[in-house]
Amino acid sequence: MTDMRLILPVGCLLVFFMLMSGCIQSPSAAPVIPQQTGTVSVLSIPHTTVTEPSRKVVTVTAEKMTDRVDILVRGGKDAGALTSLSVRIRNYDGTTVQRNIPSPETGRTYSIQYFRNANAANINIVGTFSDGYQQTLLMSSL
């Protein structure tokens, strides 16, 4: 019963302290007036256009044999500008085979030999040309 009698006075004291703390706050600082620090100059960016290099035309084929994968550069108007072929084969067991063929020649077959049966699943061949441009020439399942 005595606890119930203390609730009202304690509550009133809490409300009184909350009101007093709001009234005793220090006065707000003087408002800040922005000052001009300098002039703003607008920089216009010149209009530039980026031209993408034209797609190179080279025909490359790949064929899975029993114990190897054969790659043939058949030709195309840009085949003479090829400086290298980067070959990546993903096998069914999750392993990959990567080879680089420098200075590929049109009409020549390049073989990637396996120790046992070739288990190649996918092949990706990227050609690098004399101007430095690189392009995917073949992406295929075997």
Side-chain angles (χ1 to χ4, degrees), residues 63-95:
E63 184 177 1
K64 180 170 66 169
M65 305 307 227
T66 309
D67 61 346
R68 69 184 186 276
V69 173
D70 288 340
I71 298 165
L72 173 63
V73 180
R74 294 195 176 270
K77 73 176 189 167
D78 299 306
L82 271 174
T83 58
S84 68
L85 294 176
S86 176
V87 180
R88 182 171 189 229
I89 300 172
R90 189 176 60 79
N91 297 312
Y92 283 108
D93 62 3
T95 60

Side-chain angles (χ1 to χ4, degrees), residues 108-120:
R108 182 172 172 197
T109 300
Y110 299 92
S111 295
I112 297 176
Q113 194 71 39
Y114 281 74
F115 290 114
R116 293 196 172 96
N117 290 338
N119 66 347

Side-chain angles (χ1 to χ4, degrees), residues 25-115:
Q25 291 180 356
S26 60
S28 62
V32 176
I33 300 171
Q35 300 292 323
Q36 185 172 357
T37 58
T39 59
V40 176
S41 60
V42 177
L43 178 66
S44 62
I45 299 173
H47 180 69
T48 58
T49 57
V50 177
T51 57
E52 288 191 29
S54 61
R55 301 287 294 172
K56 306 290 185 177
V57 179
V58 178
T59 303
V60 177
T61 60
E63 184 177 1
K64 180 170 66 169
M65 305 307 227
T66 309
D67 61 346
R68 69 184 186 276
V69 173
D70 288 340
I71 298 165
L72 173 63
V73 180
R74 294 195 176 270
K77 73 176 189 167
D78 299 306
L82 271 174
T83 58
S84 68
L85 294 176
S86 176
V87 180
R88 182 171 189 229
I89 300 172
R90 189 176 60 79
N91 297 312
Y92 283 108
D93 62 3
T95 60
T96 58
V97 176
Q98 293 187 358
R99 296 288 185 272
N100 189 38
I101 301 171
S103 305
E105 299 173 10
T106 302
R108 182 172 172 197
T109 300
Y110 299 92
S111 295
I112 297 176
Q113 194 71 39
Y114 281 74
F115 290 114

